[in-house]
Amino acid sequence: MRATVIHAPHDIRVQEVPDPAIQQPTDVVLRVLRACICGSDLWAYRGESARQPGQRIGHEFLGIVEETGSGVNGFAVGDLVVAPFVWSDGTCAYCAEGLTTSCPQGGFWGSVGSDGGQGEAVRVPFADGTLVKLPAAAASDDRLLAALLALSDVLGTGHHAAVGAGVKPGSTVAVVGDGAVGLCGVMAAKRLGAERIIALGRHQARTDIARTFGATDVVAERGEAAVAAVRELLGGEGAHAVIEAVGTEQSMRTAVEITRDGGSIGYVGVPHGSGTGLDLGVMFDRNIALRGGVAPVRSYIPELLPDVLSGTIDPSPVFDLTIGLDEVPVGYKAMDGRTALKVLIKP
Amino acid sequence: MRATVIHAPHDIRVQEVPDPAIQQPTDVVLRVLRACICGSDLWAYRGESARQPGQRIGHEFLGIVEETGSGVNGFAVGDLVVAPFVWSDGTCAYCAEGLTTSCPQGGFWGSVGSDGGQGEAVRVPFADGTLVKLPAAAASDDRLLAALLALSDVLGTGHHAAVGAGVKPGSTVAVVGDGAVGLCGVMAAKRLGAERIIALGRHQARTDIARTFGATDVVAERGEAAVAAVRELLGGEGAHAVIEAVGTEQSMRTAVEITRDGGSIGYVGVPHGSGTGLDLGVMFDRNIALRGGVAPVRSYIPELLPDVLSGTIDPSPVFDLTIGLDEVPVGYKAMDGRTALKVLIKP
């Protein structure tokens, strides 16, 4: 089959690789119908996250079950399914608690020896614990497929941030980061009943999406000016709930400064750089909590899926460029250069 | 009157100061019946927290109302009352939310221009918002007075840590710090239903108290050896809830390392030093939350007081040395040299 392989920073190629095959009774082989490129893939693309030459890449995909291992009970050939961005066994204590990302048997698509999502097919370990079935009719609905693909990462990650930030009915919310995760954080906050949602971002195409997702205000300033602007909007106070969807020292510093005393930062931006951006003295004096991390999106799919299917929420506008598999290198360039927000792949 | 004054690091004196008097209609003047020395007072004593020469000190006290301003409604002369370690107006949005430490009109005993608790009397601003009435009969019960005095700080602070750490029935808990706050954290965790409570500490007199307060296990090791010991006790995992009651970079690092994936650190140790001890990459991968800060103990007193009065919980053993007011400098030396755990003052 053909799949995306990362050879070195900025050297991403689509090439022939071995066809996936059932290795364990709990495996499924899945034909990819839709995949996409994640902001976090760019860290590998830029060489800021280490990869071994020849690793696959891509961790967001949905598709059709093509073959099932003898121990798979929940899926049959032909099923339309979505995969979260890590696989998990579905039976351990962490999976039972909903923290599927801490499953001892879990793993990340594209890690050494595993398939990545940006290819024609994927061997899925622990399919019963990992995959979630979708209605077959969705396969012929382009818009809905894109919305459902967001369940593999960005929608669940935005939801995790909103949950970590403690969003509840009536909350004031501020969202740091105007990427697909930040925008999905806006959507998740709105879904959880936030009264006021301030999106921080300078790119109007993105903040326009933020508004359609539920943002009531947009702050285009950065750094100290952004802090002042948010506080002015909130009568001098910070926001009850702050979503940090970037992962840099500066973004975390901003997040701390715009959180109301007693509020929480829900952080889902993968931490980068040596500093945390956390001023613990300030957080202590003001009782600011920090909650979040890698999102156990598998656990959130059953809650979010009905709202996506009913159209109550529609994250599909985060995809602003659609390409074929052979164009994946072009897709990375477009996201790296910020000419695309999030790239959808039709293999 | 006589009160404790800090002139310079290690220069604490008990001396004549002006008698407190009603300045605002909402003031009360309180005759101190019991006060004590806090571990955080030692930061000032050691010169690690700045103080202006001549500032008062001491923020934990209870006593008898001696005079009330014309606007005070909740208290009468002769009432026995306890003060939390900050005053607060009781009427602002933060006070309504229970975050009394963020009250814009609030303040800390001993700050410039205010009385400290380690003296014969105190002018209490916003008395209706600040003070809590105690049963008059307690005034003649030495043991009970000591237990009630813990409501002014250490018991409520330990409770705040336990709440921040997310302790609930069945939780596994680890407590970093064997000072009075850490010990009260053990007590609070037990009260909230923790199933297993591991106290980290090397001083047997203190860990013995921890056991009477509810600790099921004691770990005397430090650093990496402590981490290994805690994980061995918990079958290789960390604790659901970790109480950080020290405030150093090393203690926070230990706290992160002994927290179970998906667990929380409730931190109440006043942060000291330049580093936070927080490895955000580890916290991200393992979804470890950080919650806590300066404890709004005023809000916790109504919940904790009945249990102290009934004897369900008795924090009085944290006081292992009782002195008169003139001996306060000796009390600081004893706590600084760790020959006393916590010093009770009878003015």
Side-chain angles (χ1 to χ4, degrees):
Chain A
M1 69 161 177
R2 293 177 65 73
T4 306
V5 176
I6 180 161
H7 289 270
H10 297 94
D11 181 1
I12 295 255
R13 299 179 217 166
V14 178
Q15 64 187 65
E16 279 296 321
V17 299
D19 285 335
I22 301 292
Q23 294 178 13
Q24 300 290 331
T26 49
D27 288 352
V28 145
V29 171
L30 177 153
R31 175 76 29 188
V32 176
L33 205 56
R34 294 289 184 279
C36 53
I37 303 174
C38 184
S40 68
D41 290 332
L42 297 178
W43 297 113
Y45 181 72
R46 293 169 183 156
E48 297 178 35
S49 300
R51 291 291 185 281
Q52 292 183 24
Q55 265 185 256
R56 308 287 179 77
I57 192 163
H59 54 264
E60 302 157 285
F61 58 98
L62 55 73
I64 306 287
V65 174
E66 198 167 66
E67 197 183 348
T68 62
S70 58
V72 173
N73 298 310
F75 302 98
V77 172
D79 281 350
L80 179 68
V81 294
V82 63
F85 68 84
V86 296
W87 69 80
S88 51
D89 65 15
T91 58
C92 71
Y94 282 116
C95 284
E97 289 170 24
L99 196 64
T100 49
T101 47
S102 287
C103 173
Q105 301 202 88
F108 188 73
W109 308 111
S111 56
V112 176
S114 79
D115 294 315
Q118 293 159 8
E120 290 180 328
V122 172
R123 181 182 72 86
V124 177
F126 301 104
D128 281 336
T130 303
L131 298 172
V132 177
K133 199 168 168 174
L134 302 172
S140 57
D141 184 336
D142 246 22
R143 200 273 316 156
L144 183 56
L145 276 183
L148 291 167
L149 179 61
L151 290 167
S152 68
D153 185 345
V154 288
L155 181 58
T157 296
H159 178 69
H160 190 53
V163 169
V167 176
K168 56 187 179 188
S171 294
T172 54
V173 179
V175 180
V176 182
D178 61 0
V181 169
L183 296 174
C184 285
V186 169
M187 176 172 280
K190 166 85 171 172
R191 181 178 169 278
L192 292 171
E195 189 177 287
R196 189 141 186 203
I197 303 171
I198 303 170
L200 282 74
R202 293 178 305 153
H203 300 79
Q204 201 189 331
R206 298 177 177 207
T207 55
D208 283 352
I209 297 175
R211 288 191 192 273
T212 67
F213 281 11
T216 54
D217 303 87
V218 167
V219 164
E221 289 85 352
R222 304 188 97 185
E224 285 309 308
V227 173
V230 170
R231 288 191 169 268
E232 187 174 336
L233 285 169
L234 297 176
E237 298 287 347
H240 295 113
V242 174
I243 290 174
E244 196 292 305
V246 180
T248 63
E249 192 175 339
Q250 176 56 49
S251 63
M252 190 64 95
R253 184 170 296 121
T254 299
V256 170
E257 290 178 347
I258 61 177
T259 307
R260 192 175 193 273
D261 291 26
S264 295
I265 299 167
Y267 77 114
V268 291
V270 184
H272 276 84
S274 56
T276 63
L278 296 171
D279 186 329
L280 206 54
V282 168
M283 293 172 73
F284 183 89
D285 287 347
R286 297 174 43 209
N287 270 278
I288 294 174
L290 181 70
R291 286 187 295 202
V294 56
V297 298
R298 173 62 185 82
S299 301
Y300 294 135
I301 295 177
E303 178 185 345
L304 298 170
L305 176 57
D307 283 3
V308 174
L309 289 174
S310 70
T312 306
I313 53 175
D314 176 14
S316 68
V318 299
F319 298 104
D320 61 347
L321 176 63
T322 300
I323 59 174
L325 185 58
D326 288 338
E327 298 163 289
V328 165
V330 178
Y332 274 85
K333 272 203 190 98
M335 279 182 64
D336 187 40
R338 290 177 79 91
T339 59
L341 169 54
K342 190 167 180 71
V343 173
L344 184 76
I345 303 165
K346 292 185 182 180
Chain B
M1 69 161 178
R2 293 177 67 73
T4 306
V5 176
I6 181 161
H7 290 269
H10 298 94
D11 182 0
I12 294 256
R13 300 178 217 164
V14 177
Q15 63 187 64
E16 280 295 322
V17 299
D19 286 336
I22 302 290
Q23 294 177 13
Q24 301 290 331
T26 49
D27 288 353
V28 146
V29 171
L30 176 154
R31 175 77 30 191
V32 176
L33 205 56
R34 293 290 184 278
C36 53
I37 303 176
C38 184
S40 68
D41 291 332
L42 296 178
W43 296 113
Y45 182 72
R46 293 169 184 156
E48 297 179 35
S49 298
R51 290 291 184 280
Q52 293 184 23
Q55 265 185 256
R56 308 288 181 76
I57 192 163
H59 55 266
E60 301 157 286
F61 57 98
L62 55 73
I64 306 287
V65 174
E66 199 167 67
E67 196 182 347
T68 61
S70 59
V72 173
N73 299 309
F75 302 98
V77 172
D79 281 350
L80 179 67
V81 294
V82 64
F85 68 86
V86 297
W87 70 80
S88 51
D89 65 16
T91 57
C92 70
Y94 282 116
C95 285
E97 290 169 22
L99 196 64
T100 49
T101 47
S102 288
C103 173
Q105 301 203 88
F108 189 71
W109 308 111
S111 55
V112 175
S114 79
D115 294 316
Q118 294 159 9
E120 290 180 328
V122 172
R123 179 182 73 87
V124 177
F126 301 104
D128 281 334
T130 303
L131 299 172
V132 177
K133 199 169 169 175
L134 303 172
S140 58
D141 183 336
D142 247 20
R143 200 272 316 153
L144 183 56
L145 276 183
L148 292 167
L149 179 61
L151 289 167
S152 68
D153 185 345
V154 288
L155 182 57
T157 296
H159 178 70
H160 190 54
V163 169
V167 177
K168 56 188 179 188
S171 293
T172 55
V173 180
V175 180
V176 182
D178 61 1
V181 170
L183 296 173
C184 286
V186 169
M187 175 172 280
K190 167 86 171 171
R191 181 179 169 277
L192 291 171
E195 188 178 288
R196 192 145 184 201
I197 303 171
I198 303 170
L200 283 74
R202 293 178 305 153
H203 300 80
Q204 200 186 332
R206 299 177 178 208
T207 56
D208 284 352
I209 297 174
R211 286 190 193 275
T212 68
F213 281 10
T216 53
D217 303 86
V218 167
V219 163
E221 289 86 348
R222 302 189 98 183
E224 285 308 309
V227 173
V230 170
R231 289 192 168 267
E232 188 173 336
L233 285 169
L234 297 176
E237 297 288 347
H240 295 113
V242 174
I243 289 174
E244 197 292 306
V246 180
T248 63
E249 191 175 341
Q250 176 57 48
S251 62
M252 190 63 95
R253 185 169 294 121
T254 299
V256 170
E257 290 179 346
I258 62 177
T259 306
R260 191 174 193 274
D261 291 27
S264 294
I265 300 166
Y267 77 115
V268 291
V270 184
H272 275 84
S274 55
T276 62
L278 296 171
D279 186 329
L280 205 54
V282 168
M283 294 172 71
F284 183 89
D285 287 346
R286 295 175 46 211
N287 271 278
I288 294 174
L290 180 71
R291 288 186 294 203
V294 56
V297 299
R298 173 62 185 82
S299 301
Y300 294 136
I301 296 177
E303 177 184 346
L304 298 170
L305 176 58
D307 283 3
V308 174
L309 290 173
S310 70
T312 307
I313 54 174
D314 176 14
S316 67
V318 299
F319 298 105
D320 60 348
L321 176 63
T322 300
I323 60 175
L325 186 58
D326 288 338
E327 299 162 289
V328 164
V330 178
Y332 273 84
K333 272 204 189 94
M335 278 183 64
D336 187 39
R338 290 178 77 92
T339 60
L341 169 54
K342 190 168 179 73
V343 174
L344 185 76
I345 303 163
K346 291 184 183 179

